[in-house]
Structures are given as C-alpha cells and as structure tokens.
C-alpha cells in the first residue's frame, strides 16, 4: 500500500460521506433535492469521522509537500486548525462580524462535539504513526 492510497482513500470516503449523508450539504441544496439518506448513517461516531480524516490526510499531505520534513509542524498545523474550528462552534452566540461569511456560518450553525475533539487527537497520533511506519518501510527497502 502506497502512502498516496493511505491519504486518498479516506478523503474519497469522506467526500462521498459529505455528498450522501451530511445535513444541508451543498449538492442537495444546489439541486433542490431533499436529503433522505441523511438518517441512514446517523451516528455520533460517524459524524466525527470527517474531523479524523481532515487531520490525518492533510497532515500527511503537508508532510509530503514539505519534502518529508517537519512532522510535528504538519500534524500540529492541521490539529490546531480543526481544534480552532471545533471550539469556535461553542461560541455560537458571538457576533462574528470580522470573519468571512462561510466561517461565520460554520461557527454559528456548527455543533461542538467532544467526539470530534477525540477524533482530532486520534488522527494526529495516527498520522504520526503512519509517518514513522512509512519511514521504517523506506529504511527496510
């Protein structure tokens, strides 16, 4: 299994998850179709999966883009971004005048979840382990 497959497969899965099951997703709104599939995979764990995939995949992509250097930076960058967005959802009563509208909407309508926080930390650990295993595989070859 190549590192690119380890990155792309979860991202494709999450793209399909957003397309078919995420409430208020842009595809259904744009097409004017009622999202009847949303309740089929309705679970808190499944709802936290995008947070895991974002941190995991984007950490690996950033690490690759930086020439396979700066492991901690890559992982901390995406963990911090996701944590910021997750914690920002707790402040839904705050006026976000200075933020772009898509960020304001995300904070205003998003729902804070401890499972997302856990998923972010598990993804960071998983990305780190993946990088270590990948490096060891390269050294063994």
């Amino acid at each position: 299994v190549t590192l690119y497959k380890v990155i792309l497969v979860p991202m494709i899965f999450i793209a399909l998850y957003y397309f078919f099951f995420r409430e208020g997703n842009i595809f259904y709104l744009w097409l004017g179709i009622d999202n009847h599939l949303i309740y089929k995979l309705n679970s808190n764990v499944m709802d936290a999966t995008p947070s895991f995939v974002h941190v995991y995949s984007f950490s690996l992509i950033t690490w690759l883009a930086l020439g396979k250097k700066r492991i901690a930076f890559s992982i901390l960058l995406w963990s911090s971004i996701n944590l910021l967005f997750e914690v920002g959802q707790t402040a839904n009563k705050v006026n976000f005048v200075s933020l772009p509208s898509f960020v304001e909407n995300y904070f205003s309508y998003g729902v804070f979840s401890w499972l997302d926080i856990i998923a972010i930390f598990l993804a960071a650990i998983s990305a780190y382990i993946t990088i270590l295993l990948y490096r060891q595989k390269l050294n063994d070859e």
Side-chain angles (χ1 to χ4, degrees):
V1 176
T2 66
L3 188 58
Y4 297 105
K5 288 180 185 173
V6 170
I7 294 169
L8 286 177
V9 168
M11 290 181 77
I12 290 168
F13 171 76
I14 288 305
L16 292 172
Y17 170 75
Y18 273 116
F19 182 77
F20 287 109
F21 302 105
R22 212 48 189 246
E23 186 173 3
N25 82 55
I26 188 116
F27 302 107
Y28 285 91
L29 294 174
W30 186 47
L31 296 172
I33 300 171
D34 183 32
N35 185 354
H36 65 281
L37 298 174
I38 189 167
Y39 302 104
K40 296 194 188 249
L41 280 180
N42 191 15
S43 78
N44 292 332
V45 173
M46 190 64 183
D47 286 343
T49 305
S51 292
F52 180 92
V53 172
H54 292 156
V55 172
Y56 180 77
S57 294
F58 289 129
S59 294
L60 295 177
I61 290 169
T62 302
W63 175 70
L64 286 172
L66 295 174
K68 297 180 184 170
K69 297 177 181 174
R70 303 183 189 257
I71 299 170
F73 172 78
S74 301
I75 294 170
L76 288 173
L77 171 69
W78 290 105
S79 297
S80 299
I81 289 170
N82 271 15
L83 284 170
L84 172 70
F85 274 85
E86 192 61 35
V87 171
Q89 294 176 90
T90 64
N92 60 6
K93 303 277 189 231
V94 176
N95 187 0
F96 297 105
V97 175
S98 60
L99 295 175
S101 62
F102 74 92
V103 177
E104 180 182 345
N105 288 339
Y106 185 85
F107 286 163
S108 296
Y109 299 109
V111 178
F112 175 82
S113 169
W114 282 107
L115 284 177
D116 282 333
I117 301 293
I118 293 168
I120 291 166
F121 284 110
L122 290 176
I125 293 166
S126 298
Y128 184 72
I129 291 169
T130 300
I131 291 170
L132 292 181
L133 292 173
Y134 179 77
R135 285 178 143 184
Q136 184 172 353
K137 179 183 172 190
L138 289 179
N139 288 337
D140 291 345
E141 291 177 353

